[in-house]
Amino acid sequence: MNIYVRSRLFRSNLINNLICFYSTSTPEVIDQNDRVLIDDSDETTARENEIEKKRNKSGLSAAHLNIMNGRRPYETPKHLSHLTVKHNRKLYGKYGSESGVNPSLCWPTKLDIQEALEYESVAFPYTIREVMESAALRKQEEKLKIQKRETDIAAKYAKLEQWKKELRDKLAKKAAEAESAKIKKERLVEEVRRHFGFTLDPRDERFQEMLAKREKEQRKLEKQAKRDAKEKMMFAKLQQKNVEIKDTPKR
Amino acid sequence: MGSRQIVEKSLTLLRSLPRISLNNIRDNPGSKKTQKRGRGQHGGDKHGSGNKGSGQRQNFMRLGYETGNNPFYLRVPQEHYYRGHHHRRQYPPLSLLTLQRIIDTNRVDVTVPIDIASIVKTGFYSFFPDQKHFGINLIDEGVDIFEAKINIEVQWASEQVIAAIERNGGVITTAYYDPHSLFLLRNPKKFFETGQAIPRRMIPPPDAIEYYTSAENRGYLADPDQISEARLKLAQKYGYKLPVIENDPKYNMLCERKDPRQIFYGLEPGWVVNLKDECILKPKDEELKRFYSL
């Protein structure tokens, strides 16, 4: 806590200390001592005081009377807070140079300045230009991000029709395969039924056995057909080659 | 004969009995209720809290708590439109209509630049810096009838508002003030009475810097050349002829701007204003000067 004791001795000391740092421009306030003859003998002042006392019919306390007349309420501090710099600044702000407070108190001390600078270096670490640049950079980055996403979407959209066709073909193929398999199975079942000569429950064991047998046969047949086809192919190829071999020596 | 005898007998009995009077009647049974003496203000009642349980014990549950149910305020999924709204800067609005009224009723001096302090002084606008209010948002209500030539400084303005002011040969600037400076501008007298030196205005926060550095918003940190270009562009966009302020007799007034560190027109940071003595004290110490010119 900054403490400022308003004693005559200490104030003069303060003034001596501070006047070297801060000088103020308040000449018009100070230069008001016109040459007027004032009878300041003890008797007259005592009488004046007496008259003033009698005139004051307000019943206000001394402090309130001072405030009413635009003076600081009391000269002696009544509370610990009256010793603070803040309070003395307020006295100066409110009652002016009449308050007797040294106006150099209005400015921060060297320590205060250091603290303020330290605070500002933490609270506002970047200059306006730096902040502007970083804001511009961030904006640019966001813009690039959006652009990238848009081009990505456009590229994907261009391929969309192709992908749709592929999917549709795949589905159709799958459906056709399922259909053919179903027909095959039905045919087998029909054949088995014909073999027995009466409608047999497909869950029956005999039926199942017969079906398996038929399927096996069918598979065998298919295999055979495949092999035949392959042989045929090979044979055709060989024949082709033979023809070619025959043809070449003629030339 | 027997019944006649009985009648005679009962009649004699009745005649021998005394006449019915207040002395010998009694109340109807159940017509009177004996008063019970309760204890306490309401006769030992429960004071409206009922009998037994949570109600009697007055264990008021926290707001929104539904005794174990999934509370209503948590039942709907969260929506984040307003996330962090209590941290955002607010700019209470002032319409161009009100501004025109202020000017027409001579509540503000148009021969000098207008800022938030002079507008607050008219009593037509108030704001609370402690409630995240960051100054005037000049809105476009009354944009068609606005016809004053002014040099105004607000904290937020839309494109139409800027166009409306510049069409009339005026000048607008959007400037940022930190809350502390706004307290000073809101009530300068109160600040001057504290006997402190006028502080510096702080720089805007990072999320506001873009607004206050752009010439389109007439930001106070924008490049003046860009601003004049933007003025011309806006005039073309809205289709009005931009008055040449260089030829204006009020040119000096229209060109006046605050320093980015300045809070009051005509007063620099570091000065002490004493209203009692009607004087201004300026620091002469080099360190103080350096600090206040940072």
Side-chain angles (χ1 to χ4, degrees):
Chain A
M1 189 167 62
N2 294 313
I3 289 189
Y4 167 60
V5 182
R6 238 196 66 79
S7 69
R8 297 282 162 200
L9 199 145
F10 191 62
R11 199 198 308 158
S12 61
N13 198 8
L14 251 181
I15 290 166
N16 285 340
N17 279 340
L18 293 169
I19 210 91
C20 51
F21 301 137
Y22 326 117
S23 67
T24 55
S25 64
T26 53
E28 71 275 14
V29 184
I30 299 154
D31 297 342
Q32 281 179 344
N33 300 333
D34 296 332
R35 290 195 174 186
V36 179
L37 275 176
I38 296 168
D39 185 8
D40 57 348
S41 61
D42 287 353
E43 200 181 311
T44 39
T45 44
R47 206 174 60 230
E48 283 298 318
N49 285 343
E50 189 69 29
I51 291 166
E52 273 305 310
K53 213 173 175 185
K54 278 178 182 165
R55 271 182 190 159
N56 177 19
K57 293 290 171 195
S58 67
L60 288 172
S61 66
H64 285 153
L65 197 68
N66 280 341
I67 293 172
M68 275 285 292
N69 294 320
R71 295 188 296 266
R72 59 182 292 178
Y74 19 71
E75 296 293 314
T76 50
K78 306 273 183 196
H79 190 258
L80 259 180
S81 69
H82 295 168
L83 304 171
T84 56
V85 171
K86 192 178 170 185
H87 181 75
N88 282 283
R89 276 179 186 167
K90 273 186 180 174
L91 284 181
Y92 179 73
K94 214 160 193 177
Y95 306 110
S97 54
E98 258 180 47
S99 65
V101 176
N102 185 349
S104 62
L105 277 180
C106 297
W107 286 278
T109 60
K110 291 196 173 180
L111 195 72
D112 291 341
I113 289 175
Q114 262 179 14
E115 274 176 7
L117 287 175
E118 196 183 336
Y119 170 79
E120 277 170 25
S121 68
V122 175
F124 311 99
Y126 305 109
T127 61
I128 290 174
R129 179 142 314 273
E130 281 167 356
V131 178
M132 268 167 76
E133 273 162 11
S134 69
L137 202 73
R138 206 183 314 121
K139 208 177 169 188
Q140 184 67 21
E141 269 172 14
E142 265 167 30
K143 208 173 151 189
L144 274 177
K145 207 173 156 190
I146 289 168
Q147 247 176 22
K148 202 184 155 207
R149 173 97 180 118
E150 275 174 356
T151 48
D152 211 30
I153 288 171
K156 279 178 181 164
Y157 199 78
K159 281 188 190 167
L160 184 65
E161 283 306 313
Q162 190 199 326
W163 286 340
K164 269 161 124 176
K165 195 173 162 283
E166 274 172 14
L167 182 69
R168 254 183 249 124
D169 290 353
K170 199 174 143 192
L171 287 175
K173 200 181 158 195
K174 210 174 174 182
E177 268 175 10
E179 187 68 28
S180 69
K182 199 180 158 196
I183 286 165
K184 205 167 138 191
K185 189 102 181 169
E186 267 173 11
R187 208 180 61 225
L188 273 174
V189 168
E190 191 57 36
E191 272 175 21
V192 171
R193 209 167 269 164
R194 219 176 288 148
H195 173 84
F196 283 113
F198 55 89
T199 44
L200 197 62
D201 189 2
R203 280 167 292 182
D204 198 302
E205 260 183 31
R206 282 177 293 165
F207 188 94
Q208 293 288 342
E209 261 174 35
M210 202 59 208
L211 193 67
K213 214 170 152 189
R214 283 273 170 181
E215 271 180 357
K216 219 172 180 181
E217 277 171 18
Q218 189 75 25
R219 239 178 277 148
K220 226 175 194 173
L221 272 176
E222 273 175 14
K223 235 176 182 175
Q224 188 64 37
K226 234 180 186 175
R227 205 180 291 151
D228 286 355
K230 220 175 177 181
E231 271 176 13
K232 234 182 197 171
M233 280 270 282
M234 289 281 276
F235 192 67
K237 262 186 185 171
L238 274 174
Q239 264 191 345
Q240 185 87 15
K241 267 187 181 172
N242 284 346
V243 170
E244 277 173 14
I245 292 159
K246 275 178 190 169
D247 284 353
T248 38
K250 273 180 189 173
R251 283 177 191 174
Chain B
M1 283 302 272
S3 71
R4 192 180 165 86
Q5 266 183 346
I6 291 163
V7 169
E8 279 297 315
K9 230 179 177 176
S10 33
L11 277 173
T12 47
L13 183 69
L14 259 178
R15 279 180 202 116
S16 70
L17 282 169
R19 279 182 72 89
I20 196 160
S21 71
L22 286 174
N23 304 332
N24 52 23
I25 57 170
R26 75 167 64 152
D27 294 320
N28 291 331
S31 68
K32 279 224 167 177
K33 204 177 163 195
T34 47
Q35 193 75 30
K36 274 184 184 167
R37 193 188 75 87
R39 298 173 186 182
Q41 191 186 2
H42 300 289
D45 200 8
K46 315 273 191 233
H47 297 267
S49 291
N51 196 12
K52 288 217 284 193
S54 163
Q56 188 181 21
R57 271 141 223 155
Q58 300 198 339
N59 58 340
F60 304 113
M61 290 169 292
R62 64 185 155 80
L63 276 182
Y65 184 60
E66 295 178 20
T67 60
N69 291 352
N70 188 13
F72 179 75
Y73 76 93
L74 293 177
R75 220 175 294 161
V76 282
Q78 284 187 38
E79 303 287 348
H80 293 300
Y81 317 122
Y82 296 113
R83 168 174 268 184
H85 71 279
H86 57 300
H87 294 311
R88 292 187 196 163
R89 283 186 303 282
Q90 293 177 33
Y91 296 89
L94 173 79
S95 68
L96 278 175
L97 191 73
T98 314
L99 184 62
Q100 184 68 60
R101 182 147 64 120
I102 289 169
I103 293 163
D104 290 347
T105 50
N106 209 11
R107 285 172 156 101
V108 75
D109 188 4
V110 292
T111 58
V112 291
I114 299 167
D115 69 341
I116 187 165
S118 54
I119 285 172
V120 167
K121 220 179 100 190
T122 61
F124 275 79
Y125 183 81
S126 76
F127 70 110
F128 302 96
D130 53 331
Q131 292 174 24
K132 308 265 174 212
H133 292 179
F134 277 75
I136 298 170
N137 173 13
L138 198 58
I139 58 167
D140 57 358
E141 193 183 327
V143 71
D144 297 323
I145 62 157
F146 188 77
E147 51 179 15
K149 189 203 280 183
I150 45 170
N151 177 3
I152 191 169
E153 187 194 69
V154 291
Q155 280 61 54
W156 204 270
S158 64
E159 198 183 56
Q160 295 98 307
V161 168
I162 294 171
I165 285 173
E166 288 178 356
R167 187 189 59 194
N168 294 314
V171 172
I172 184 168
T173 317
T174 53
Y176 173 84
Y177 291 94
D178 56 307
H180 186 58
S181 319
L182 286 168
F183 274 116
L184 267 56
L185 287 162
R186 189 159 168 259
N187 195 348
K189 185 169 172 255
K190 192 179 168 189
F191 172 75
F192 294 147
E193 281 183 349
T194 61
Q196 284 166 282
I198 299 170
R200 291 169 298 156
R201 199 194 322 177
M202 290 299 138
I203 63 167
D207 56 339
I209 206 109
E210 203 179 320
Y211 186 87
Y212 292 108
T213 50
S214 93
E216 282 74 42
N217 303 321
R218 308 293 184 270
Y220 73 123
L221 299 172
D223 184 15
D225 295 338
Q226 282 182 12
I227 285 183
S228 57
E229 201 177 301
R231 275 167 65 89
L232 209 64
K233 262 189 204 165
L234 197 65
Q236 284 169 357
K237 183 176 176 183
Y238 281 84
Y240 58 85
K241 195 170 173 293
L242 189 67
V244 185
I245 57 167
E246 282 82 354
N247 303 339
D248 202 283
K250 286 196 203 164
Y251 177 68
N252 285 337
M253 186 277 280
L254 291 174
C255 281
E256 207 176 326
R257 300 276 190 288
K258 278 184 200 172
D259 186 78
R261 284 298 198 186
Q262 200 179 358
I263 295 174
F264 299 106
Y265 273 118
L267 296 175
E268 283 173 22
W271 291 6
V272 174
V273 178
N274 197 304
L275 298 174
K276 177 80 192 302
D277 298 345
E278 293 180 0
C279 68
I280 292 171
L281 313 183
K282 301 173 188 176
K284 277 188 179 169
D285 178 49
E286 282 308 314
E287 197 178 345
L288 274 175
K289 274 187 184 171
R290 212 178 313 121
F291 173 64
Y292 281 112
S293 63
L294 270 178

